[in-house]
Amino acid sequence: MNIKILFSSLLIFFLCLTKGTAQEVLTIEDAMKIALENNFEIKIAKNNSKISETNVTVGNAGMLPVATASITDNNNVTNSSQTRQDGTSTSLNNAKNNSLNYGVSLGWTVFDGMRMFARLDQLKELQKLGDSELKRIVLTKIGQVNSAYYDLVQQQQQLAALDTTIVISKQRLTLAQNRFSIGKASKLEVLNAQVDLNSDQVALLRQKESYANAKILLNQYLARDPKINFTVTNTVSVDNKLVLIDLMDLAQKQNPALESQIINKRIAELQLKQVKANRYPVVNLTSGYNFSESQSSLGFTSSASSKGFNYGFNASLNIFDGLNQHRNEKVAKLEIENSQIAIEQQNMILNTQLSTAFQTYLTNLELIGLEEDNVTIAKQNLDITLDKFRIGTITTLDFRTAQLNYVNAKVRYSNAQYEAKLSEIALKELAGNINF
């Protein structure tokens, strides 16, 4: 049987199998969409981002007045006695006394050294920090989905290669049995062919197990039932046009880890503004409306009531607090300095990661070309060896070697594509530029 016919038959077999099982064909675009909608960590990060957004209000910054309603009702029953200055006395058992107070008060801080404005800006920066964290988690999870998806593609290609070698091994066993039946081969040749076929079938079972587990892992990233069955596309498309300097420029603008450090510095600067605000006076406006009523069974006054409106203001200024203000400002400045150091450190880490990942990426691109050539050469060698094996001019060992060389070349080529894709994903994740 010609090797081309063999591959055609195998392809038809896979097409029929796919049609018969009617499995879902999951594209990488569909996988990323499902992950964005379902992934638990992304959902939590989205809610945390919404919390940060919800906290950005002028009221939370302390710019709005605070109105408070209150009511107090006190009642007591006592045995009382009173002796007056003129010597007369009065006593009463089970004397009832009660008082009722209620009203509304309003307080408004109209000046606090601009602390409230710095606080509002800080809340906005915290919102940006939440958005940056959401972006980081999304990029990480989308990167995991991409890696898991293309791992499945690679394993699917390896399954096809192992299926091919089993077909060849079965053909070899049939030839060996035919040659043995007409006396042109020994029983040893048949047994060797059977052992090799069994070894190939074991390898196929192991690969099927690995493929099934990889599907379960991808379903986990997609936050769906691990039993959902599907197939993936059979090609790995690697972007071979990435440029290191462009990636570094993008990373400076879009890398969420670096972005977070820059935001943290801005938050530290705003914290210093709030600390410095303690050097200025705090002015509060106050007003309210109150009603008071009391009743007493014993005393000069049996009942009393009052109601009315009050208003005013108060101001306070910190004159000396044991040098705590100076200490707090010094600490806040050190926090800003630490933030700047963290930015420089993150820049160095980012450039190092990009440089090493890019070198790996270039190596993997070269390996794709080499392994593709190896597959072509190994296939030609297998074709020639198969023809020679049919006419009995080479040993079974030579045939097996050619067979394994072809399978291994296919596996290495698949691995090279997968490793190159992983390098591409890592570079785009560092640059904050994964498309989804």
Side-chain angles (χ1 to χ4, degrees):
M1 181 186 296
N2 187 278
I3 194 72
K4 292 182 179 179
I5 298 176
L6 178 66
F7 282 129
S8 299
S9 301
L10 190 61
L11 180 60
I12 293 172
F13 169 75
F14 275 118
L15 290 175
C16 292
L17 181 63
T18 302
K19 184 177 179 181
T21 55
Q23 293 180 359
E24 169 197 1
V25 178
L26 183 70
T27 65
I28 184 61
E29 292 80 12
D30 291 338
M32 289 190 290
K33 181 180 178 181
I34 294 171
L36 289 172
E37 293 175 353
N38 294 352
N39 185 269
F40 298 117
E41 293 183 51
I42 292 178
K43 284 182 176 181
I44 293 173
K46 285 180 179 178
N47 284 338
N48 288 336
S49 180
K50 289 179 181 178
I51 290 173
S52 299
E53 180 183 357
T54 304
N55 283 332
V56 182
T57 64
V58 291
N60 196 19
M63 292 182 174
L64 298 180
V66 176
T68 305
S70 63
I71 181 170
T72 304
D73 184 17
N74 288 320
N75 300 273
N76 58 72
V77 178
T78 59
N79 297 326
S80 302
S81 63
Q82 294 179 350
T83 301
R84 301 183 180 90
Q85 292 290 338
D86 58 3
T88 61
S89 62
T90 304
S91 63
L92 180 65
N93 293 330
N94 298 322
K96 294 182 178 180
N97 300 283
N98 59 69
S99 63
L100 175 65
N101 296 277
Y102 60 87
V104 177
S105 62
L106 181 70
W108 190 4
T109 301
V110 293
F111 182 76
D112 62 355
M114 311 302 287
R115 182 191 293 110
M116 64 182 73
F117 295 98
R119 175 60 179 163
L120 181 61
D121 289 339
Q122 190 178 57
L123 290 172
K124 292 177 181 178
E125 294 300 320
L126 288 171
Q127 179 187 352
K128 293 178 183 177
L129 190 62
D131 293 341
S132 180
E133 178 64 13
L134 171 60
K135 179 182 176 182
R136 185 192 68 79
I137 290 177
V138 168
L139 284 172
T140 299
K141 294 306 165 184
I142 291 300
Q144 288 179 343
V145 169
N146 273 266
S147 299
Y149 183 89
Y150 287 108
D151 180 39
L152 270 175
V153 175
Q154 173 205 216
Q155 295 200 42
Q156 191 168 268
Q157 291 172 344
Q158 293 182 9
L159 274 175
L162 289 171
D163 277 321
T164 300
T165 197
I166 284 178
V167 173
I168 296 172
S169 294
K170 286 181 178 179
Q171 182 183 5
R172 172 192 164 194
L173 177 60
T174 301
L175 289 172
Q177 289 171 339
N178 291 338
R179 289 172 60 178
F180 174 71
S181 65
I182 61 176
K184 287 188 176 183
S186 65
K187 183 66 173 178
L188 181 61
E189 183 177 322
V190 176
L191 293 176
N192 284 335
Q194 185 64 61
V195 169
D196 289 339
L197 175 59
N198 291 344
S199 298
D200 294 338
Q201 289 174 332
V202 169
L204 180 62
L205 284 175
R206 293 295 185 191
Q207 183 58 38
K208 285 182 177 180
E209 177 190 6
S210 178
Y211 182 64
N213 289 336
K215 278 187 177 181
I216 294 173
L217 179 62
L218 182 55
N219 278 329
Q220 176 188 329
Y221 290 149
L222 303 184
R224 62 182 192 174
D225 190 341
K227 298 184 182 66
I228 292 179
N229 201 5
F230 60 92
T231 59
V232 294
T233 56
N234 202 39
T235 57
V236 178
S237 177
V238 180
D239 185 353
N240 60 359
K241 297 181 180 179
L242 299 180
V243 180
L244 180 58
I245 189 66
D246 293 341
L247 292 169
M248 287 184 170
D249 289 341
L250 282 173
Q252 290 297 315
K253 301 173 185 176
Q254 300 180 170
N255 181 268
L258 180 60
E259 188 178 65
S260 295
Q261 295 296 349
I262 294 172
I263 295 172
N264 281 329
K265 182 186 177 185
R266 177 60 179 159
I267 290 173
E269 292 170 344
L270 291 168
Q271 184 62 34
L272 176 60
K273 283 188 175 182
Q274 294 182 67
V275 172
K276 285 184 174 180
N278 290 327
R279 291 184 176 273
Y280 297 90
V282 177
V283 179
N284 296 302
L285 298 181
T286 60
S287 66
Y289 182 85
N290 295 289
F291 175 83
S292 176
E293 182 181 71
S294 63
Q295 294 181 350
S296 176
S297 299
L298 184 66
F300 291 103
T301 304
S302 61
S303 65
S305 65
S306 65
K307 58 182 176 180
F309 177 73
N310 63 78
Y311 59 91
F313 78 94
N314 64 71
S316 62
L317 176 63
N318 178 22
I319 298 176
F320 181 76
D321 62 355
L323 299 178
N324 283 326
Q325 177 66 25
H326 176 73
R327 176 183 58 81
N328 291 336
E329 289 183 13
K330 187 176 181 180
V331 170
K333 289 177 181 178
L334 289 172
E335 292 290 348
I336 295 174
E337 185 178 339
N338 282 343
S339 299
Q340 180 60 41
I341 294 172
I343 291 174
E344 294 172 2
Q345 180 188 34
Q346 188 61 46
N347 259 319
M348 180 176 290
I349 292 172
L350 184 57
N351 289 333
T352 300
Q353 290 175 331
L354 280 169
S355 297
T356 54
F358 191 77
Q359 186 57 53
T360 303
Y361 164 77
L362 293 178
T363 301
N364 288 330
L365 287 182
E366 291 185 24
L367 286 175
I368 288 178
L370 290 174
E371 295 298 350
E372 188 175 14
D373 291 340
N374 285 337
V375 170
T376 303
I377 295 170
K379 181 178 180 300
Q380 292 174 352
N381 183 50
L382 181 61
D383 288 341
I384 296 171
T385 305
L386 185 59
D387 291 336
K388 289 184 177 181
F389 182 70
R390 285 197 190 97
I391 61 178
T393 57
I394 63 170
T395 65
T396 57
L397 180 61
D398 292 333
F399 177 77
R400 181 63 175 174
T401 300
Q403 181 186 9
L404 291 178
N405 283 342
Y406 175 69
V407 173
N408 290 335
K410 290 280 288 182
V411 170
R412 288 197 308 271
Y413 177 54
S414 176
N415 286 339
Q417 289 181 306
Y418 175 60
E419 293 297 331
K421 191 64 180 180
L422 286 184
S423 299
E424 176 200 329
I425 294 169
L427 286 169
K428 289 183 175 181
E429 185 177 336
L430 287 170
N433 195 40
I434 295 181
N435 294 322
F436 51 86

